[in-house]
Amino acid sequence: MSLTIRPAERMERIPFSGIRRIFEAAAALEREGRDIVHLTVGRPDFDTPEHIKRAAREALDAGLVHYTSNYGLVELRRAIVRKLAADNGLAYDESEVLVVQGASQAIAVAIQGFLGPGDELLVPSPAYLNYLHCATLAGAVAVPVPLRDENDFQLDPDDVIERITPRTRMLVVNTPQNPTGAVCPPDVLRRIAEIACERDLLVLSDEIYEKLVYGSFEHASMAAFPGMKERTFTVNGFAKAYSMTGWRIGYVAAPKPLIDVMVRIVQYTTVCPTSFAQAGAVAALEGPQEPVARMRAEFDRRRHLVQQRLAAVPGLTCARLQGAFYAFPDVTSYGLSDDDLADRLLVEAGVAVVPGSAFGPGGAGHVRISYATDYDRLAIGLERLADGLERLSRG
Ligand code: PMP
């Protein structure tokens, strides 16, 4: 009998990443010797600060090579508790923190733990795609809540209310936001918090870009609003603030009964995050914070360059850049789909950007530009982008 390999039915609804598609196309051109400026990456381009790497090396040498608690190292959970109090005004204790393999796993365990078949998850659109696909994997339904350019990509509380049904269980809030670079102001978050309390919703608050807010924009945590701590999953990690994407350490803070559900998923999947990487994460929180400020200042310098260069491109409109390291300009005036436009820019201008529809239907007609790239390369990339778009508009 021949073997029939058939993926699980749920996998039919999980597509290959649209971001990867443009990476693969860029890599093929590079193999032919073309120079491509990548404005696609969602990771800081800095090395992890030395004191963090040293702490991980020392932990390895000291024999921290075994499983840790399923909840994560207690030293790390205590450091996270202190961080959440000092930076976010949140009073958690160590039993309310679960350390996992990146904010991605935090999102996965919150969704898997609390959503089942037919349950609805309200997800901003465009957004980081993990919310949507984790919901699909759980058999739940992701309901998009549109973010609009004219609104600086803020969640509109009325749009949230309109989409609540008796099946709605959870709402995703991501500020600062990927892919739009928007930061949700505290008064909007407060209104969303009131809605969550009135309609008895759980809230997944993804704060991974928290340290990357610029100018007069401010970050606020959902769990700090009245009535919210008991219903909020505060998700954060080390990838963006400390340039530690490869370390795979993140966490979710929530009331203990919620943690006790999520830890059971960890027990039967990943067991615990890497032991010595957790030791590095302790050093990240407890050590000097100047490297974070330095990286933020460099991103801010690049942000000004991006905002200024994009404003000078005829036919392009771009909301204010407030946080993270992304711009999400509207490219509909060029008369091509965002996929085709990104392909043409890659092949004809040598600059890689991500088509906006890779972030869900609400991203169509846009491209995502990441400024997590060295300043001089970024300047070249923006020049190529402007030239490429000008050529396109001339036909
Ligand atoms: N949330 C958002 C909004 C992100 O953009 C990312 C990474 N691109 C993550 C979560 C995942 O972070 P981590 O590397 O800690 O899993």
Side-chain angles (χ1 to χ4, degrees), residues 35 87 95 119 139 165 170 178 189 203-204 218 235 242 296 310 312 326 341 349 359:
D35 175 55
D87 292 359
S95 72
D119 289 337
T165 75
M170 196 188 288
N178 177 11
L189 288 179
V203 174
L204 194 167
E218 275 174 46
V235 169
Y242 298 97
R296 201 198 66 88
L310 294 185
Y326 305 114
L341 185 98
F359 302 95

Side-chain angles (χ1 to χ4, degrees), residues 42 101-105 107 128 131 174 176 178 206 208-209 237-240 245 248-250 326:
Q101 293 183 353
S104 315
Q105 194 188 5
I107 294 164
Y128 182 55
Y131 318 120
N174 171 218
N178 177 11
D206 182 346
I208 186 88
Y209 293 102
F238 295 82
K240 315 290 171 169
T245 49
R248 311 307 307 130
I249 304 290
Y326 305 114

